[in-house]
Amino acid sequence: MGPSGLVCALLLAACCCSRRAAGVPGEAEPPVPEQVEAEVGGTALLTCGSSHSQSNFSHVDWFSVHKEKPTLIFRVRKGQGQSEPGEYQQRLSLQDRGTALVLSHVTPQDERIFLCQVKRPQSQEHRIQLRVYKAPEEPTIQVNPLGISVSSKEPEEVATCVGKNGYPLPQVIWYKNGHSLKEEKDRVYIQSSQIVESSGLYTLVSVLKAQLVTADKDALFYCELSYRLPSGNHMKESREVSVQVFYPAEKVWLEVEPVGALKEGDRVEIRCLADGNPPPHFTISKQNLSTKEVEEMTPEDNGVLVLESAQKEHSGLYQCQGLDLETMASLLSDQQELLVNYVSAVRVSPAAPESQEGGSLVLSCEAESNQAVQFQWLREKTGQVLTEGPLLQLHNLKREAGGGYRCMASVPSVPGLNRTQLVHVAIFGSPWMTQKEKRMWVQENAVLNLSCEASGHPRPTISWSVEGMAQEQDQEPQSVLSVLSVLVTPELLRTGAECVASNSLGRNTTTIFLELDSSRSTGLSTSTVSPSVRANGTSTEKKLPEPESKGVAIVAVTVCVLVLAVLGAVLYFFYKKGKLPCGRSGKQEIMLPPSRKSEFVVEVKSDKLPEEMGLLQGSSRDQRAPGDQGEKYIDLRH
């Protein structure tokens, strides 16, 4: 370089240095604004600088800067504030002696730069960047209702996550089984969009698309929203969801319920199962074990064949066949034997046994089963076990031996598998009455049901001694119950009723006595009401019998007669022995042994002498002697 070039270079460098040193306006970078954070709906404190003590804030102008254009929003003059007309007119106020401006009811639109300019004693300005935040609502997640097939060649929509009313826009992260998902070509794709609400808040919509495999049939998906508040970073999670995954079956099998030994009458379910989703279309085949014939059966839509009451004919080899309607592939299960244990109907011989009294009978029963059978004979009325085995021997039969006998055939190896047969043994004999006689308390003019039960062989017939409406009911094959409806009349009260049972071998009766129950009657009693007001208009009265009162009266009269007889015998004995003085001297004492004199004294007063009374039985024709006092004292001491 020549001298002239060197001089020029030095002059240029000096010029540049002088420009940087002079600080030419417009060339220096603006200072970084102060950061202030506030939540939507809250308040923001805007402070005009940090050196309060070195500045005079009696004259300050506040501006909001939107798109690089400042707009005056507030004036401070001599410590007094004044809002300018506009969007901030009602939301600004001074604080800390005018050094700070308070912005209330913060909105998302308030996120901008605010500028304060101090005019005195020297002009200076301060920039504030207001950051606004709002936590989004709890995220909602909606799973694909149609499901996803593993045979799809490209990612399918799994679920959609929505986070409403947040500011700024939150971040979304998707998870599967607790692990975060990243976008992967041809495997995982996350598509997010935003909606700006009229309030200025954001609504985030994120769609997860993925290509799933069979192992994802039980996978759980959820989304997470990350956002910031003045207090720091936060997150919210959605609920977990699973998507229906469709995949072809690889295996088909058969299950039977209940598990264990089956018996006739059980409810049995034959269920076809597969490991595909949706399950294939099932059919069931049954092969007869003896004939080897195959029968096709159609189960219900869920692949279940229900035997409401299984029978021995349902036994056989069962197999499920599954047809995948998408791939048209057919799969077969293994064969499974279904065995329905049974006992045939029990047959008793003879079917209608009968015998004379004192005779004998032998009853036998038989039944078939695919298992070993045991037999028992029981008395029907009592349930008592009479014998074990198929034979029941009855000897020296009496009338009481007639009635029901039950043979039970059971399979011990299959609990609850048994069948029974009831047979009635008939013993020839004349009718036998349940009651020989009975007494009933009734109300006159009431309708009364009289019952009579008789048994015998041949079966007896029943008739009544009174007229009425009779109904018969068979109690057992050789027993009959007759019920007669009658009106209680005075004639019926007098005669009562008689039930007559008869067959070819004889007859028997039951007598029913009717007695009027006045204490239960709601009408007038015949024993207390005049005959002229009786309901039946007759003068006949029938007094209630009182068995207990009559018995007491008879006993009392008998005791009195006995006492009088003993007393008369004693007096007659003493009279014959001469120990009973009959003089008229007033009072005489019967001579008794000294040891018995003080025990018993009887005084008899009479106006006639004992001789005249004839042992206390006097005559009205006898005359009394003069001076007689009319009294005799008999002293009996013993």
Side-chain angles (χ1 to χ4, degrees):
M1 179 183 295
S4 59
L6 180 60
V7 171
C8 289
L10 292 174
L11 290 175
L12 180 61
C15 179
C16 290
C17 291
S18 62
R19 284 174 61 94
R20 285 195 297 268
V24 177
E27 296 296 330
E29 294 182 1
V32 178
E34 177 187 356
Q35 296 287 332
V36 174
E37 296 180 340
E39 289 192 53
V40 172
T43 59
L45 183 63
L46 309 177
T47 303
C48 191
S50 57
S51 303
H52 300 165
S53 59
Q54 300 177 2
S55 302
N56 183 0
F57 294 97
S58 62
H59 191 107
V60 180
D61 290 334
W62 284 92
F63 300 86
S64 71
V65 181
H66 182 57
K67 296 182 179 180
E68 300 300 327
K69 178 181 178 182
T71 302
L72 181 64
I73 59 174
F74 200 83
R75 297 175 184 270
V76 180
R77 299 294 184 267
K78 297 182 180 181
Q80 301 296 321
Q82 177 66 43
S83 292
E84 292 294 318
E87 60 178 321
Y88 293 102
Q89 184 174 3
Q90 304 297 328
R91 296 193 291 141
L92 296 174
S93 61
L94 284 178
Q95 188 174 313
D96 293 341
R97 300 178 182 179
T99 61
L101 188 65
V102 177
L103 173 62
S104 62
H105 305 294
V106 174
T107 67
Q109 291 81 3
D110 295 332
E111 186 170 83
R112 60 183 62 179
I113 292 178
F114 290 87
L115 175 66
C116 71
Q117 289 184 345
V118 181
K119 301 296 184 180
R120 298 174 185 175
Q122 58 182 0
S123 178
Q124 54 181 313
E125 71 177 28
H126 184 73
R127 289 175 176 264
I128 302 170
Q129 175 65 61
L130 179 60
R131 297 295 183 187
V132 178
Y133 300 96
K134 169 69 168 62
E137 299 174 7
E138 292 286 337
T140 60
I141 189 169
Q142 183 67 43
V143 72
N144 181 358
L146 302 178
I148 298 175
S149 174
V150 297
S151 60
S152 177
K153 302 302 182 182
E154 59 184 20
E156 297 285 341
E157 179 181 328
V158 177
T160 301
C161 180
V162 178
K164 294 183 178 180
N165 298 324
Y167 193 90
L169 188 69
Q171 300 295 317
V172 63
I173 302 176
W174 282 95
Y175 290 85
K176 182 180 79 170
N177 295 332
H179 301 286
S180 61
L181 294 173
K182 305 294 183 182
E183 287 195 345
E184 184 180 347
K185 185 178 180 180
D186 297 331
R187 297 289 298 172
V188 179
Y189 179 59
I190 299 174
Q191 182 180 11
S192 298
S193 60
Q194 64 187 40
I195 300 173
V196 181
E197 308 291 347
S198 59
S199 60
L201 300 176
Y202 292 109
T203 291
L204 172 70
V205 179
S206 180
V207 179
L208 171 65
K209 296 183 177 181
Q211 189 173 21
L212 301 183
V213 295
T214 303
D216 294 325
K217 59 186 176 62
D218 299 319
L220 295 176
F221 297 88
Y222 70 93
C223 62
E224 175 188 281
L225 298 182
S226 298
Y227 57 95
R228 176 172 171 75
L229 293 178
S231 58
N233 294 324
H234 299 268
M235 52 83 71
K236 289 183 177 180
E237 296 177 346
S238 72
R239 61 184 178 91
E240 291 182 321
V241 296
S242 61
V243 64
Q244 190 173 20
V245 180
F246 301 118
Y247 48 92
E250 298 178 356
K251 182 181 178 182
V252 173
W253 65 96
L254 180 149
E255 291 182 355
V256 176
E257 290 185 1
V259 178
L262 302 176
K263 63 181 182 296
E264 283 192 320
D266 284 346
R267 185 183 188 273
V268 179
E269 290 187 2
I270 302 173
R271 181 176 290 109
C272 293
L273 300 171
D275 58 356
N277 185 36
H281 175 72
F282 290 111
T283 57
I284 297 177
S285 62
K286 187 201 88 171
Q287 183 181 21
N288 190 295
L289 292 175
S290 58
T291 65
K292 304 302 180 180
E293 293 181 357
V294 177
E295 178 185 358
E296 295 291 336
M297 301 179 178
T298 303
E300 299 177 4
D301 293 339
N302 56 0
V304 178
L305 177 64
V306 179
L307 307 177
E308 290 293 346
S309 180
Q311 303 298 317
K312 64 179 182 179
E313 294 80 11
H314 292 131
S315 297
L317 288 176
Y318 286 79
Q319 187 176 37
C320 290
Q321 180 180 16
L323 177 63
D324 193 306
L325 298 179
E326 183 176 352
T327 63
M328 300 306 294
S330 179
L331 297 171
L332 289 175
S333 71
D334 294 335
Q335 285 186 325
Q336 183 169 334
E337 182 179 359
L338 180 70
L339 178 60
V340 180
N341 297 287
Y342 69 93
V343 173
S344 69
V346 179
R347 298 178 298 280
V348 176
S349 173
E354 56 185 12
S355 174
Q356 301 288 342
E357 286 192 85
S360 298
L361 279 174
V362 177
L363 306 180
S364 66
C365 67
E366 58 181 355
E368 289 80 35
S369 174
N370 62 321
Q371 304 286 351
V373 182
Q374 289 184 356
F375 294 93
Q376 260 186 349
W377 280 97
L378 303 93
R379 191 69 159 112
E380 176 67 10
K381 287 184 178 179
T382 62
Q384 177 188 3
V385 177
L386 301 177
T387 186
E388 302 282 348
L391 296 181
L392 175 63
Q393 298 182 4
L394 302 174
H395 302 290
N396 192 21
L397 291 170
K398 299 184 182 301
R399 179 189 298 271
E400 292 77 9
Y405 293 82
R406 186 175 294 276
C407 176
M408 175 185 291
S410 60
V411 176
S413 60
V414 183
L417 178 56
N418 61 75
R419 298 188 73 170
T420 66
Q421 179 62 46
L422 178 65
V423 62
H424 289 275
V425 172
I427 308 299
F428 285 101
S430 59
W432 180 79
M433 314 303 292
T434 303
Q435 291 178 291
K436 192 62 178 175
E437 65 178 38
K438 58 182 176 180
R439 189 177 302 273
M440 298 181 65
W441 294 91
V442 299
Q443 296 180 14
E444 193 173 358
N445 295 327
V447 176
L448 179 66
N449 287 334
L450 305 177
S451 63
C452 174
E453 184 176 356
S455 60
H457 184 63
R459 178 185 178 277
T461 59
I462 293 180
S463 60
W464 292 87
S465 63
V466 294
E467 293 185 357
M469 182 179 295
Q471 292 182 344
E472 289 189 358
Q473 303 173 6
D474 288 332
Q475 302 298 98
E476 290 182 356
Q478 286 80 41
S479 180
V480 62
L481 172 67
S482 178
V483 179
L484 180 71
S485 296
V486 295
L487 179 66
V488 179
T489 63
E491 179 66 17
L492 183 62
L493 287 169
R494 184 179 64 82
T495 62
E498 187 177 62
C499 162
V500 180
S502 59
N503 63 10
S504 60
L505 300 179
R507 65 194 299 273
N508 210 337
T509 62
T510 294
T511 304
I512 303 176
F513 299 99
L514 305 178
E515 299 186 11
L516 194 62
D517 184 3
S518 60
S519 63
R520 301 182 185 180
S521 175
T522 57
L524 299 176
S525 173
T526 57
S527 62
T528 58
V529 179
S530 171
S532 61
V533 297
R534 285 173 54 85
N536 57 14
T538 66
S539 61
T540 302
E541 290 186 287
K542 190 177 183 67
K543 189 173 182 181
L544 269 177
E546 298 179 359
E548 295 184 3
S549 300
K550 289 180 179 180
V552 173
I554 292 172
V555 171
V557 171
T558 303
V559 171
C560 291
V561 170
L562 290 176
V563 171
L564 291 175
V566 171
L567 182 58
V570 170
L571 293 176
Y572 182 73
F573 174 77
F574 284 115
Y575 172 74
K576 287 294 187 180
K577 294 295 184 180
K579 294 184 181 293
L580 187 64
C582 298
R584 301 175 183 270
S585 59
K587 297 183 179 179
Q588 296 293 330
E589 184 173 321
I590 299 175
M591 300 302 294
L592 293 174
S595 61
R596 302 181 62 186
K597 284 186 178 182
S598 62
E599 294 178 5
F600 190 67
V601 177
V602 178
E603 182 183 62
V604 179
K605 294 184 179 181
S606 177
D607 58 349
K608 293 180 172 56
L609 295 176
E611 297 87 353
E612 297 172 337
M613 291 190 298
L615 286 179
L616 304 181
Q617 298 294 330
S619 173
S620 59
R621 295 190 298 267
D622 296 336
Q623 299 297 321
R624 180 180 301 174
D628 188 4
Q629 300 298 319
E631 294 182 353
K632 297 301 292 184
Y633 292 88
I634 302 174
D635 190 351
L636 301 178
R637 301 170 186 257
H638 50 97

